Amino acid sequence: MKKSRITIRHAISGRLRFNVNEILHAYERAVSLEKWLAQKNGITKIEVRAHSGSVIVCYKHKEIKPEQLRELLIQALEIHPKQARSSRMPSVCAMSCVKCDPSEKTKRKKQSLFDSLLGIIALTLFVGYVIIRRVISKSPAAQGIFSLTSLVSLIASIPLFRHAIADLRHGRHKSLFPFLACSILLGIAMGEAMTALEVIWILRVGMLLEDYVAEQSRKAIREILQIAEKDTYIFVNGIEVRICADELNPGDTVVIHTGEKIPVDGTIVRGQAIIDESHITGRAEAETRGENDIVFAGTIVQKGVIFIHAEKVGDDTYLCRILQLVEDSLENRAPVEQQADILAERLFKIGISATVGTLLITLNPFRAFTVMLVMACPCATVLAASTAISAAIANAAKNHILIKGGLYLEMVGKADSFCFDKTGTLTIDVPQISEIISFLADKTENDVLELAAIAEIHNEHPLAKAVMKEAEIRGILPRSHVTCEFVLGLGVTAQVNGNKIMVGNSRFMNQGGIDISFFAEEAEKRVAMGQTLIYVAENQTLHGLIAVGNTLRPHALSVLEYLRKDGVKNLHLITGDTEPVAKHLAESLGFDDYKAELLPEDKAYHLEMLESSGCRVVMVGDGVNDALALSRASVGIAMGAGGADVAIEAADIALTDSDLKRLLTLRQLSRQTLRVIDQNYWLATSTNIFGMVFGAMGLLSPLMGGMLHIVHTLGILANSSRLLTWKGDNGKTA
Ligand code: ADP
Ligand code: MG
């Protein structure tokens, strides 16, 4: 089926994600589209991701409508027509994710690493040959413009020249690559081809090592997020038919046997199996799953045979979407690149001044050349942040934390305010029902519960899950409804046999004109004990009430205590639940402030107010009602395992197993990454200054200037790769 040109993948007020097939892998086009769209009125933030073919727009909904944004996008595509595909391919997505050909990409990546290695070996052999020749036969290699050394230098510099030309074409005149290309050409022209060759060697080793660290990071992620096997079985007309996983469709019945990996998200329709779900939930123990249980792609059947009704296949499965996020995180490093660009530009200016200064003061072109070489080699500056961030993102993924970009990793450590949603974030995924009360003489507790279950049957809200679980325990099989409507932060309505069921909080009942005042006193008592109340009504008559306990997730208190000790000034609870429940929880957990009865836009507004007062805010949430706030915060963290898809989509970071302690690991990792980047910058800058001063004084030969780079580039890579194996202490040091 051919997809339309532009489709909306996700929409929440103020934020849209479009799928645009035409920009898939069109990297240069994506950059120009982004620049063009960023200037349009009403757009507050824009991200064009060529590796996933998506455009994410944050906009002021009072100034511009989604339809207008779509029009703008179409216009932008027309103004910036298709160019030849950029040679830079997205480098991850090497997992066996159906629809993308992972093996092809992995092969390509490996091939390019192999090519680089071959190039370096050839260069090393040549340099070795020249040195041995000099030592043994005491005949230094010719270094003149027309010598073999010059020719080899020029050939080996081709990738560098390409980089330099691309930078110049894109207006990045002050980037280090053109500077370096100039210094190489100058070196050859001055009869210092050997030095030029050596600099190229260092540069290529540096780039290879950078690729290696990034590849290691990807490998680490791939190991924990392996998905479907190539072939699978579907059940057609009573027989099992073997097909390629790519050909699966929603609605198929997939048969999975012992030892196989589940390729779809769906519901078990027959059979029972012990399933290892550690990739999704992080729990090491396998779970027994049977009929009507939901299973996820990427999990493994340890024992048993199950028939699964496929609901989501291919790119739409939970794990594939998570993979997409991880892929984004490794590719989407714009802010950090910007930082490296800024630094590189500064170094460029200092480098030019230092070179010209040395030449004017000493009148010695060799000294000036040494200074130029020391200042020009960009490896260290570029590697300082990027390698540390790749390694940290991989480490986080191993810890079930998926980070969508280096910037967010950086900001979690710097944040001074944390806002927490309550239901599903601080409280457990499926809360416990503590009491059911029927208000009508002819209705039992079970009747009230069944009515609620009919309305909640498709809902993913933690309270809905609590209702469904209690119904299951009591053996109630709810009838299906005709239509239902979820009202965020309030409840749900459903139509069944011409009757209207309403299930939700007191505000929802008031809005629906249902009188609940006669129960006010009793309700208050329960609410004061910290219970959340769900009212159940049919055709404007209140049938009863369900009281739900707010059981906290393990470690909720210790996590908050840690954050406080770690310098977080504002700890806020922002919830859609009632004031007394919020107050009770806020006091028992030691929050600085709380806001209750908030609708999604109120949560987002609260964050905006905090941010406008100069705070750097992290929002932690799980539900659809948190999506807007998650996208507005400096950093949005979604509780993945039980959380809503849209929340995971809108967030910058997702925890795949909803363990709150991951927040501590994340914050510590962020700090550690910042420390490593700082150390790297210091190392790079101090060696540069050292080389510059000694070069200008004539105490460093051009060759030694180049050697200096080997030392600090290797130092930086070694320092960054410490992050691959870094282990936090889960908050013990706070
Ligand atoms: P939180 O912000 O704490 O995560 P929500 O905004 O999701 O809470 O919900 C706010 C309130 O709305 C809940 O406390 C509950 O009273 C009511 N509510 C929301 N969704 C539902 C639902 N599906 N069933 C019953 N009540 C609901
Ligand atoms: Mg919630």
Side-chain angles (χ1 to χ4, degrees), residues 420-427 461-462 574-576 603 619-626 639:
F420 283 86
D421 159 63
K422 179 184 73 78
T423 323
T425 301
L426 288 171
T427 63
H461 194 278
I574 52 174
T575 173
K603 287 189 180 184
M619 165 77 199
V620 190
D622 73 308
V624 181
N625 57 329
D626 300 318
M639 306 296 284

